[in-house]
Amino acid sequence: MKKILVVDNQISTCELLQKFLSQKNFEVETITQGNPALNIIKKRHFDIIISEYRLPDIGAVEFFEKVLKIQPEVFMIFMSQEVNLKNAVDLIKRGAFNFLTKPLHPDELLEVIQDCDKLKTSFSPEASFANKQPKSRENGKNEEFGFVVGESKEALEMINLIKRVGSTNFTVIIEGETGTGKEAVARLIHKVSSRCNKPFIAVDCGSLSKEIAGSELFGHEKGAFTGAITKKTGLFELANGGTIFLDEIANLSPETQMGLLRALQEKLIRKIGGVDELPIDVRVIAATKEDLIVKSGANCFREDLFFRLSEFILKVPTLKQRISDLPLFIDHFLQQTSEELKIEKPLLSEEVKRIFNRYEWPGNVRELRNVIRRACLFIEADNCIYQNALPKGLLDALVPIEENGLSKAKNERYAVNRLDEGADTDLKSAARQAELTRIMEVLHKVDFNKTKAAKILNIHRKTLYSKLKVVNLAY
């Protein structure tokens, strides 16, 4: 259980955070002054310290420096009603993990705490660049930030590209399907860069509406719009000197895209409702599951922004494309989940191993992780995971083993010919024939990727499997 110390001069804040974090299974202590907090820190170990910036008895910088001398590996999160940019940046440069604005949003606080848990190294200023390099593990694994690199050809090529672009200040577009680990790749790029000791801020652009995107990214002045009762520091300001990761960037509105383009070209931002322009030094890494070239051609994404972002494009392979790495991912997630649940690391039955190798994993590494976590709740007495522990949806979508030794091509010809031979002359039969022909055309175009085919055909993947089963083509 993670231990958290909350330091805030307002008793109400202490009580609120203690109640919320305790419900999330954290062990929480609270105190209202800095010097007594230092005495507690000398006696007890804490994983995370959440502290008000303006403590009544000691300055934030002095308090932070003394904390680091006592517990150099602790993650320090500061908070304040009104964030002064210079103070926030100064503390982050000294090694603070984050600086949050009050009133705190529970989901945001929890996400920051979870990010602390992902990191294996301290952000203290004494940490050297060499210590920030990804560390090789046995069996070709690299588990920095919970990300397994793997040892397949595709994985090694990706890591080589990460090292090459990481040492530069190029803007990067990371392309990849949902669940492939695009944020983990962005974190590795940041980790091998000269900015590794500076902030890394991840932004889910899909959650930013047109109305709030500009405020979240660039900040706003007090009174800039209805509800802007205080001045807000934008994420670009907080990331100054470091890296900002814009996930699913295709979701940004045209207005926000324009502000982003200006930030990239001029290295200047302007708060909503503000007049002054603020200089920034931020490396931008964007991620997308969509084709931005197609989006720009359809006037959904600015072409000039695409070309500004695409100084380097890195494509993350799907799990199916690097299936030889599957055992490494399975082993990692089994170990991770067993530690979380405090149980002995389970084993997979041979039956489950075969199922995992035959499944197409449309949700990629994220889906595998979720399947493993769920399965670990249904371990049998012999500490083994069997088929009954797997989700029904996975089993329903499973690729059947080809029967009678027929190859894909033979099965296709057999199925089409069988439909032709038995076809009637009515419109219903003709429609079935046309439907199958269209399905086969699309499957050939996408190299028999059922998920992609279903999207193109605008039907659910299960519907596609059902239609293929009719003619014995659900391989």
Side-chain angles (χ1 to χ4, degrees), residues 163-442:
K163 290 179 179 178
R164 283 178 180 273
V165 75
S167 61
T168 73
N169 275 317
F170 287 7
T171 54
V172 181
I173 293 178
I174 301 175
E175 297 179 344
E177 294 182 7
T178 299
T180 49
K182 297 187 288 293
E183 182 174 340
V185 170
R187 287 185 179 275
L188 285 174
I189 292 174
H190 174 75
K191 191 171 179 62
V192 299
S193 74
S194 59
R195 299 172 180 264
C196 60
N197 289 322
K198 303 295 174 65
F200 176 94
I201 294 180
V203 185
D204 178 11
C205 296
S207 66
L208 298 179
S209 67
K210 174 183 175 181
E211 291 73 24
I212 69 169
S215 172
E216 289 294 320
L217 294 177
F218 310 121
H220 65 249
E221 297 290 349
K222 181 178 179 180
F225 49 84
T226 302
I229 57 176
T230 60
K231 182 178 179 179
K232 180 179 177 63
T233 301
L235 296 174
F236 265 84
E237 291 179 76
L238 292 177
N240 204 23
T243 303
I244 191 165
F245 172 62
L246 303 176
D247 194 14
E248 297 307 335
I249 193 171
N251 292 310
L252 291 179
S253 68
E255 294 83 0
T256 308
Q257 290 179 35
M258 185 62 208
L260 177 58
L261 178 62
R262 178 168 175 75
L264 288 169
Q265 289 181 336
E266 308 298 334
K267 297 191 180 301
L268 296 169
I269 62 170
R270 180 183 294 159
K271 292 177 181 289
I272 304 297
V275 177
D276 297 332
E277 292 184 322
L278 305 174
I280 56 161
D281 173 26
V282 177
R283 182 185 196 173
V284 175
I285 300 177
T288 179
K289 63 184 177 186
E290 302 184 61
D291 190 331
L292 291 182
I293 296 179
V294 173
K295 296 277 283 187
S296 64
N299 295 322
C300 297
F301 194 83
R302 293 184 64 100
E303 188 177 64
D304 48 2
L305 177 57
F306 169 76
F307 289 121
R308 187 63 186 81
L309 287 168
S310 59
E311 290 183 329
F312 192 89
I313 298 178
L314 193 155
K315 191 169 183 63
V316 184
T318 63
L319 184 54
K320 184 180 178 182
Q321 290 171 332
R322 50 187 299 198
I323 200 67
S324 61
D325 288 328
L326 183 63
L328 294 178
F329 284 106
I330 291 172
D331 182 73
H332 171 67
F333 292 136
L334 284 173
Q335 182 65 41
Q336 191 180 66
T337 307
S338 64
E339 290 175 0
E340 179 185 349
L341 299 179
K342 295 180 173 56
I343 60 174
E344 182 182 351
K345 180 181 173 183
L347 303 173
L348 298 186
S349 67
E350 292 302 317
E351 177 187 38
V352 170
K353 289 180 182 178
R354 287 194 295 270
I355 289 173
F356 278 9
N357 281 316
R358 287 165 51 199
Y359 185 55
E360 292 193 339
W361 299 109
N364 294 292
V365 178
R366 183 183 299 152
E367 182 183 13
L368 174 63
R369 176 179 179 270
N370 292 341
V371 168
I372 295 270
R373 285 170 62 81
R374 179 190 185 278
C376 285
L377 299 176
F378 299 93
I379 300 171
E380 300 292 343
D382 59 357
N383 199 42
C384 199
I385 295 174
Y386 293 95
Q387 179 177 335
N388 59 5
L390 302 181
K392 184 177 183 299
L394 184 153
L395 298 174
D396 288 345
L398 197 60
V399 179
I401 298 176
E402 295 174 6
E403 298 178 358
N404 303 322
L406 294 174
S407 68
K408 278 186 182 180
K410 288 182 179 178
N411 268 326
E412 292 164 23
R413 290 195 297 271
Y414 167 73
V416 175
N417 291 337
R418 189 168 68 101
L419 188 57
D420 281 337
E421 290 168 3
D424 297 323
T425 57
D426 59 20
L427 288 175
K428 185 176 181 181
S429 299
R432 286 180 60 202
Q433 181 68 50
E435 182 180 74
L436 178 62
T437 301
R438 175 57 181 159
I439 288 173
M440 297 311 305
E441 287 176 353
V442 172

Side-chain angles (χ1 to χ4, degrees), residues 87-244:
N87 296 338
V89 171
D90 181 51
L91 283 169
I92 289 174
K93 285 182 177 180
R94 290 173 181 271
F97 185 70
N98 214 320
F99 201 116
L100 304 177
T101 306
K102 289 182 176 179
L104 299 176
H105 297 285
D107 291 341
E108 180 186 10
L109 175 61
L110 191 60
E111 185 178 347
V112 170
I113 291 174
Q114 289 170 344
D115 285 343
C116 291
D117 195 39
K118 291 177 185 176
L119 300 179
K120 304 297 182 183
T121 56
S122 172
F123 273 73
S124 62
E126 293 79 13
S128 67
F129 174 74
N131 290 334
K132 297 292 183 181
Q133 301 298 319
K135 300 175 183 177
S136 297
R137 305 290 181 91
E138 69 278 5
N139 300 324
K141 289 191 289 186
N142 181 306
E143 299 174 5
E144 295 295 322
F145 308 105
F147 182 61
V148 180
V149 172
E151 50 191 16
S152 65
K153 176 185 175 183
E154 293 78 9
L156 295 178
E157 286 179 352
M158 181 177 65
I159 289 303
N160 181 50
L161 293 176
I162 288 173
K163 290 179 179 178
R164 283 178 180 273
V165 75
S167 61
T168 73
N169 275 317
F170 287 7
T171 54
V172 181
I173 293 178
I174 301 175
E175 297 179 344
E177 294 182 7
T178 299
T180 49
K182 297 187 288 293
E183 182 174 340
V185 170
R187 287 185 179 275
L188 285 174
I189 292 174
H190 174 75
K191 191 171 179 62
V192 299
S193 74
S194 59
R195 299 172 180 264
C196 60
N197 289 322
K198 303 295 174 65
F200 176 94
I201 294 180
V203 185
D204 178 11
C205 296
S207 66
L208 298 179
S209 67
K210 174 183 175 181
E211 291 73 24
I212 69 169
S215 172
E216 289 294 320
L217 294 177
F218 310 121
H220 65 249
E221 297 290 349
K222 181 178 179 180
F225 49 84
T226 302
I229 57 176
T230 60
K231 182 178 179 179
K232 180 179 177 63
T233 301
L235 296 174
F236 265 84
E237 291 179 76
L238 292 177
N240 204 23
T243 303
I244 191 165

